[in-house]
Amino acid sequence: MSTVKFTKLFINGDFVDSISGRTFETIDPRTEEVIVRVSEGDKEDIDIAVKAARQAFDSGPWPRLPGYERAKIMMKWADLIDQNIEELAALETMDAGKLYHMNKMVEIPATANTLRYYAGAADKIHGEVLKMTREFHAYTLLEPIGVVGHIIPWNAPSSIFFTKVSPSLATGCTMVLKPAEQTPLSALFHAHLAKLAGIPDGVLNVVPGFGPTAGAAISSHMDIDAVSFTGSIEVGREVMQAAAKSNLKPVSLELGGKSPLIIFDDADIDKAAELALLGFLYNKGEVCVASSRVYVQEGIYDKFEKKLVEKAKSWVVGDPFDPKSQQGPQADRNQFEKILSYIELGKKEGATLLTGGNAVGSKGYYIEPTIFSNVKEDMIIAQEEIFGPVLALMKFKTIEDAIKRANNTKYGLAAGIMTKNLDTANTMSRSIRAGTIWINCYFAFESDVPFGGYKMSGFGRDFGLEALHKYLQVKSVVTPIYNSPWL
C-alpha cells in the first residue's frame, strides 16, 4: 500500500489548489471507499496551465535545447520511475484496480522504457533536402507543433500518460494533461518525478478534473495547438467538434475497439485457448484491444469451447494486491454496472451463457469471467465495446466467412489470427481493416510498433516513430541557387 503524497494540480512546476477550491473523491475499487480528495481543475485552471505551457514554449528553454539535452532529462525521469516502481504500482492498484504484481513487473517498467525510446529519438528529428527541377534549393524543417493538450483514460493511467507525453517531449512541445477523474494519482506522482528530473517549469502541466469542464476547456482552447485523446467514440466526437469550432487544432483519437480473434482448424488448441483467455481477461477486460469477439472454425469449435470454459472457471478474481489474483475489480462503479447491464442484455438477446455473468462478493467492483456462445452478429454484445471481462464466442466455416465477420464492426483497432498456414495468415492480415494484426500472439506491444485504429477506432498513431509526427509541423524552405554546376 502507498501513502498518497500528491493531490493538487501541477501547474508551472508547482502543486497548487484549484482556483475554485473544489475537490473530488477518488475511490478504491477494491473497497468502494474514498482514497483521498483531489483538487478539481476546471476552465480557469486550464487557462492558467495553458498560459504556463505557452510561456514555456514561446520563451522557455525546452524547445530550444539540443535534442540530446532533452534526451538526458527524459532518461533521468525514466530512471526515477524505476526507483519508484513499487509506489507507482501501488497507486495504480489502489486507484484503478490493476494487479499490483503486473504493474510492478510489466506496466510501470514499460512506461519508463517508452520514455527512453523517445529520448533516443529526440536528437534524430530531421527534415529532408529536396531536389527541385529549377534553380532552387529546398529543404524541410520538422518543428514542434507547440502547446499540446492530452486527455487520457482510466484503464492504463501510467502507460497512456507516457504514450502521449514521451513523443511530445522529444519533439520539443509543451503540454497540459488531464488524467481521468477516476485515476488521477499516478499522473500527479509522475509530474513530481518530472520536476525532480529537471523538466523545466511549464513544460508539463497536470490538471485533474472532469471531461465536461477541464476536458472541454482543453479541446476548445484557442491557445492549444493540438489535442491527443484516448477514450470513447462519444467523447472523441465532442473533442473533434470543439477543436473545429475553436482554432481548428489537429486532433488524434484512439477510440477503442471490438477486436476479433480468429482461430482456424489448424491452430494449437491449448495455445489458442490461453490467448483467447488472456485476450478478454487481461486488466479485467478494460483494454481497448481486448479480443471480445472470438471466432473459431467449426472443426475445432467444440474442443476449444470446452477448454476455454474450463480455464475461465479456474481464473482467480480477487484483491489485486494478492499475488494469487489474476483479475482485480473494475475501475469504478459506473463501469461495473455498465458491464453487468451488457451481460443482462446478452441473456435477453438469446445468447447462451456458458460461464460467469455475476458480480463477485459484496464489496468492490468484481465481476466473474463471462463467456457467451450462440452469439449472432447483430446482437449488442457482438457489436458494442463492453470494456469488461465478457466474451462473445462464435463459429465460422470458411476464410471468406471469417474476413466478412471480422470486418462487420464500426471499429478497427486490432485483430488476432491463429493458424499454422502462412497463406491463411497473409490473406487474413491483409483483409482485416484494423490498425494492428497479431498472428499467433496477442497483446504484443512495443514502443517501436505504431498503434492506432481504422474506421471509428480513430486516427493518428501512438508508439513508433510515427507518433512523433502528431507533434510536429513540416516547414518547407526554398531559396534560389546561382551558377550551380548541377541542379
Side-chain angles (χ1 to χ4, degrees):
M1 295 293 291
S2 175
T3 301
V4 178
K5 298 173 182 173
F6 307 104
T7 61
K8 297 183 178 183
L9 316 182
F10 184 78
I11 297 177
N12 205 25
D14 292 315
F15 285 101
V16 297
D17 292 317
S18 60
I19 296 296
S20 69
R22 289 194 301 270
T23 61
F24 64 93
E25 296 174 346
T26 185
I27 305 295
D28 188 332
R30 303 169 307 131
T31 63
E32 305 181 48
E33 296 173 357
V34 176
I35 304 170
V36 289
R37 298 191 68 91
V38 176
S39 292
E40 179 188 338
D42 58 21
K43 185 180 184 302
E44 288 181 292
D45 303 289
I46 295 294
D47 286 342
I48 295 169
V50 172
K51 185 176 180 180
R54 175 55 60 193
Q55 177 72 18
F57 184 77
D58 290 346
S59 307
W62 189 253
R64 293 155 191 85
L65 285 176
Y68 75 89
E69 292 287 355
R70 289 200 297 272
K72 283 165 61 177
I73 296 171
M74 292 169 70
M75 289 287 193
K76 185 175 179 181
W77 191 7
D79 290 342
L80 288 170
I81 292 168
D82 285 343
Q83 293 165 26
N84 290 272
I85 279 178
E86 292 186 356
E87 188 160 2
L88 285 162
L91 287 174
E92 297 269 281
T93 300
M94 290 165 57
D95 220 11
K98 298 169 70 70
L99 296 178
Y100 175 75
H101 67 275
M102 290 299 294
N103 291 336
K104 184 178 174 181
M105 292 189 302
V106 179
E107 295 211 16
I108 303 301
T111 66
N113 288 335
T114 297
L115 195 50
R116 292 186 179 101
Y117 174 83
Y118 286 105
D123 60 355
K124 302 171 185 68
I125 299 170
H126 308 302
E128 297 179 304
V129 175
L130 308 173
K131 185 172 175 63
M132 297 182 67
T133 58
R134 296 180 292 156
E135 292 182 336
F136 292 97
H137 174 66
Y139 58 93
T140 58
L141 297 173
L142 299 182
E143 299 182 343
I145 200 165
V147 177
V148 180
H150 297 302
I151 304 173
I152 66 173
W154 42 259
N155 63 310
S158 286
S159 296
I160 300 177
F161 181 103
F162 284 100
T163 299
K164 308 292 189 188
V165 167
S166 304
S168 43
L169 281 178
T171 60
C173 291
T174 61
M175 64 212 71
V176 177
L177 181 142
K178 189 196 88 65
E181 59 269 24
Q182 296 89 342
T183 54
L185 299 181
S186 59
L188 294 172
F189 196 95
H190 288 306
H192 160 68
L193 296 182
K195 174 88 170 179
L196 295 181
I199 299 287
D201 293 348
V203 171
L204 172 68
N205 304 274
V206 177
V207 183
F210 294 88
T213 50
I218 288 173
S219 303
S220 62
H221 206 287
M222 294 296 292
D223 215 17
I224 287 180
D225 299 303
V227 172
S228 179
F229 170 79
T230 296
S232 69
I233 288 176
E234 293 74 22
V235 178
R237 282 197 179 103
E238 293 178 6
V239 170
M240 280 194 73
Q241 288 171 350
K245 288 178 180 178
S246 55
N247 58 347
L248 282 173
K249 63 178 72 64
V251 173
S252 62
L253 304 174
E254 195 267 274
L255 304 178
K258 192 71 176 175
S259 300
L261 174 60
I262 302 146
I263 301 167
F264 285 87
D265 281 342
D266 64 345
D268 181 312
I269 294 179
D270 284 324
K271 182 178 179 182
E274 285 290 340
L275 282 183
L277 192 76
L278 181 69
F280 89 101
L281 292 181
Y282 182 78
N283 198 37
K284 28 358 189 281
E286 293 173 350
V287 183
C288 53
V289 293
S291 58
S292 52
R293 294 184 294 149
V294 172
Y295 296 96
V296 184
Q297 202 160 17
E298 56 188 4
I300 61 167
Y301 179 88
D302 291 339
K303 287 183 180 178
F304 176 87
E305 179 188 282
K306 181 180 179 183
K307 191 169 289 288
L308 182 64
V309 170
E310 286 174 358
K311 289 179 180 294
K313 286 181 176 178
S314 66
W315 192 254
V316 180
V317 180
D319 187 333
F321 278 105
D322 185 340
K324 297 189 182 94
S325 294
Q326 295 170 290
Q327 179 185 321
Q330 310 308 136
D332 72 351
R333 175 165 288 282
N334 286 341
Q335 187 62 21
F336 172 75
E337 292 176 348
K338 177 184 172 185
I339 294 164
L340 291 175
S341 72
Y342 272 114
I343 292 171
E344 290 306 308
L345 269 173
K347 296 176 187 176
K348 289 176 183 175
E349 288 182 311
T352 301
L353 182 63
L354 296 176
T355 187
N358 302 303
V360 178
S362 59
K363 183 185 284 189
Y365 308 130
Y366 298 91
I367 296 177
E368 294 174 330
T370 301
I371 301 174
F372 284 100
S373 65
N374 297 317
V375 179
K376 294 182 170 56
E377 289 292 327
D378 60 352
M379 289 182 177
I380 291 172
I381 60 170
Q383 289 295 322
E384 294 189 9
E385 184 177 38
I386 298 172
F387 220 61
V390 182
L391 176 66
L393 185 59
M394 294 168 272
K395 290 181 188 178
F396 73 93
K397 291 185 178 182
T398 65
I399 189 170
E400 292 78 15
D401 181 29
I403 292 167
K404 181 179 178 181
R405 296 173 72 183
N407 286 329
N408 182 26
T409 173
K410 63 187 176 184
Y411 293 104
L413 193 57
I417 301 158
M418 300 215 64
T419 179
K420 295 174 184 173
N421 187 308
L422 181 60
D423 292 336
T424 299
N426 284 337
T427 299
M428 292 296 295
S429 61
R430 289 173 179 263
S431 300
I432 295 174
R433 298 190 64 214
T436 299
I437 309 292
W438 288 303
I439 300 171
N440 295 325
C441 60
Y442 211 82
F443 291 140
F445 291 108
E446 281 291 343
S447 296
D448 53 359
V449 179
F451 174 74
Y454 284 31
K455 300 188 282 186
M456 293 182 76
S457 285
F459 47 83
R461 293 293 180 266
D462 291 319
F463 292 129
L465 298 181
E466 290 287 329
L468 295 167
H469 297 288
K470 296 193 298 187
Y471 309 113
L472 292 167
Q473 293 276 26
V474 179
K475 178 184 285 183
S476 297
V477 181
V478 182
T479 181
I481 53 174
Y482 302 100
N483 304 317
S484 173
W486 49 74
L487 287 178

